Amino acid sequence: MIFFKLLKESFLFANDALKQNKMRTFLSLLGVTIGIFTIISVFSAVDTLRNNLQKSVDKLGSNSIYIEKFPWIMNEDSPWWKYLQRPDPKLREFDDLQRRSQTAVAMSYELNIDNRTVKYKSNTVDGAQINAASQDHDKTWNFDFEDGRYFTGLESRAGSAVTIIGHEIAENLFPSGGAVGKQIKIMGRYVTVVGVFKKEGSSMIGLSNDKNILLPLNFAKDIIDVQNSNYGPHIVVMGKPGTSTDEVESEIRQIMRSIRRLRPGEDDNFALNRTTIISGALDVAFGVLHTVGLIVGAFSILVGGFGIANIMFVSVKERTNIIGIQKSLGAKSYFILLQFLIEAVFLCLMGGVVGLGLVYGGTFLVKAIFDVQVVLDIKNIIIGIATSLSIGIISGIIPAYFAARMDPVEAIRSN
C-alpha cells in the first residue's frame, strides 16, 4: 500500500511539473510525436501496400498452377531468349492434362485477346480487355457477381454468343442499369450479356475485372486463333482440396514432360507458376521496406529520446533544492527516482498517443483523397505504445538516477 501511495504521489509531482512548464512539455512531446508518427506511418504504408498487393495475388488462387511460356519472376541473368523459343500451351495439351491429372479439381485454358472497343447502341467503351476461357474458369479464379451468372456447361461447349462484363463496362454501356439480357457488339459480333462482375476497384498488379469482358473459349475459336502466341494462351490448374500445391506441381510437370516428349535430364520447355512465387518475392521486398522504415523511425525516435533526456536533466537541475528538502524529510531514493522516471514515461506516452492519433486521422484523409484503405494494424499500435514506453524509460532513467543519488544537504545548499 505504501508503494502504491508513493507511486500516486510521484505521478502527481510529475503531472504538476508538466503543467508548470507547458512550452517545454510541448517541445518534448513534439519530438516523440514526430518519431512515433514517422515509424508507424512507414509501417502502415508498407502494410497497406502489402495488403493491397496480396489481395490482387489472392485472386489467382492459392492452390493453382499456371502453365505458361515465361516464369513470373525473372532477373537480368534469366535466359529470356530460351523462354522466347518455348512453345505456347496448346489445346491438345490441355485436353491431355484434363484426362490424365489425378490431383486437379478444375482446369481451364485461357487467353487475353486484346484491348478492344465494345458498343451498345450509341454507347461505346474503348480499351476493354477481352478474355476468353474454358468452362472451369470460375473455379480457377476468384470473383463475384454483381448481377447475372456464369456460363452454363452447354453454353461453353456450344460456343454460344454470351459474355460476362466488368462493372465499369456495364456502368458505361448501361448507365441506367439492366445489363443482363442485353446484346453488345464485340469484335464485330453481337453477344448477350449473362453476367456482370462485382466491382473490385483498381488493382496494383492489373488483375481487376472492372474493365474485363469474358467470352467462352469455343466462341472465341470461331473468331480468332486461340493458340496464337500474341494472345498469351495459358493453362490454369486448381488442385483438389487437401492436396498440396507441391503435389499438384509435381504431377503437372511429369505430365507436361510426357506430353512434350522431353528426355530425362532435358530442361523443361514450359514454366509452372504459382502465387507462392509472387508472395515469396513480396515477403522479401516488404521485409526490406520494413527494415528501412524501422531505421528511419529509429532515427526519429532517437532524436525525440535525446530531447526528452535533455529536458529531464534540466528539470532535475531546476528542482535540485526541492529534491534536497524531500530527502531531508525522509523521502526514499526510489521515490525521487519514480518522480522523474514517471515524468519522462508520461511525456513519451503522451507523444506516442498523439503520434498514433495523427496516423489514425491520416487514414481517413488518404481514404477520402485517394480512395485507399490504409491498414493500421493493432500490431503497429502496440509497437507505437511500447516504443514510447521504452523511450520514456531509457531517456528518463539516467536523469532520475542522478536525482535519486543526490546528497540532501548539498541539494538544499545548491540554491
Side-chain angles (χ1 to χ4, degrees), residues 32-288:
V32 177
T33 297
I34 291 172
I36 295 298
F37 175 78
T38 301
I39 194 169
I40 302 304
S41 292
V42 171
F43 282 177
S44 294
V46 171
D47 287 347
T48 299
L49 189 60
R50 178 73 172 83
N51 187 60
N52 288 339
L53 282 170
Q54 191 60 54
K55 281 182 179 178
S56 297
V57 172
D58 289 344
K59 294 176 186 177
L60 300 172
S62 59
N63 196 26
S64 295
I65 304 293
Y66 288 73
I67 307 170
E68 298 175 291
K69 191 172 182 176
F70 292 93
W72 285 348
I73 304 295
M74 291 192 290
N75 55 46
E76 56 186 18
D77 298 323
S78 298
W80 57 269
W81 60 92
K82 288 185 179 180
Y83 302 148
L84 196 61
Q85 295 171 5
R86 288 175 172 178
D88 289 291
K90 304 297 182 184
L91 284 170
R92 176 186 59 81
E93 296 171 338
F94 170 66
D95 292 336
D96 283 348
L97 278 168
Q98 279 189 308
R99 188 177 67 256
R100 296 166 63 175
S101 177
Q102 300 297 313
T103 62
V105 69
M107 199 176 298
S108 62
Y109 188 91
E110 305 178 3
L111 55 145
N112 308 315
I113 298 174
D114 208 349
N115 292 333
R116 301 291 179 94
T117 299
V118 293
K119 296 181 179 179
Y120 174 73
K121 296 183 178 178
S122 61
N123 296 330
T124 301
V125 173
D126 296 319
Q129 174 62 54
I130 313 297
N131 302 318
S134 56
Q135 177 61 23
D136 282 353
H137 176 76
D138 64 328
K139 300 181 181 70
T140 58
W141 278 75
N142 296 322
F143 54 80
D144 296 309
F145 287 99
E146 185 175 288
D147 193 15
R149 58 174 175 82
Y150 188 66
F151 308 130
T152 65
L154 179 60
E155 288 170 340
S156 289
R157 289 191 298 272
S160 301
V162 292
T163 186
I164 303 169
I165 63 177
H167 173 84
E168 192 173 329
I169 303 292
E171 205 171 49
N172 288 311
L173 290 182
F174 309 98
S176 56
V180 174
K182 303 289 176 52
Q183 285 194 327
I184 62 175
K185 192 173 186 181
I186 304 173
M187 297 188 294
R189 301 286 188 93
Y190 284 99
V191 294
T192 302
V193 177
V194 296
V196 178
F197 291 120
K198 187 176 180 179
K199 183 179 181 180
E200 296 179 351
S202 58
S203 166
M204 301 190 77
I205 56 175
L207 292 178
S208 174
N209 275 320
D210 289 351
K211 291 196 72 173
N212 284 2
I213 292 179
L214 184 65
L215 299 170
L217 180 67
N218 287 338
F219 174 77
K221 284 168 67 176
D222 295 335
I223 305 173
I224 60 170
D225 176 11
V226 296
Q227 300 182 103
N228 191 307
S229 182
N230 293 331
Y231 303 132
H234 55 280
I235 299 170
V236 187
V237 181
M238 171 67 77
K240 291 179 178 178
T243 305
S244 71
T245 311
D246 289 335
E247 290 180 68
V248 180
E249 182 177 343
S250 178
E251 186 203 48
I252 296 303
R253 174 170 280 108
Q254 291 176 11
I255 296 174
M256 284 297 297
R257 288 183 64 86
S258 172
I259 291 172
R260 293 191 173 180
R261 302 179 185 277
L262 297 175
R263 295 188 297 272
E266 193 173 355
D267 290 339
D268 293 341
N269 60 355
F270 53 88
L272 299 182
N273 296 312
R274 54 181 180 173
T275 55
T276 51
I277 296 174
I278 299 177
S279 296
L282 289 178
D283 288 338
V284 173
F286 285 103
V288 173

Side-chain angles (χ1 to χ4, degrees), residues 24-32 299-315 343-344 347-348 391-392 394-396 399:
R24 190 166 69 192
T25 300
F26 171 75
L27 294 174
S28 303
L29 279 175
L30 189 62
V32 177
F299 276 109
S300 300
I301 290 293
L302 191 62
V303 172
F306 277 124
I308 294 292
N310 185 51
I311 292 298
M312 293 312 300
F313 274 116
V314 172
S315 183
E343 185 175 339
L347 267 174
C348 286
I391 291 299
I394 294 169
S395 302

Side-chain angles (χ1 to χ4, degrees), residues 7 10 13 29 84 111 193 241 278 282 309 315 359 374 378 385 389:
L7 185 65
S10 298
F13 269 113
L29 279 175
L84 196 61
L111 55 145
V193 177
I278 299 177
L282 289 178
S315 183
V359 175
V374 178
I378 186 66
I385 298 297
L389 183 62

Side-chain angles (χ1 to χ4, degrees), residues 344-357:
V345 169
F346 188 55
L347 267 174
C348 286
L349 284 176
M350 284 177 64
V353 170
V354 173
L356 286 170

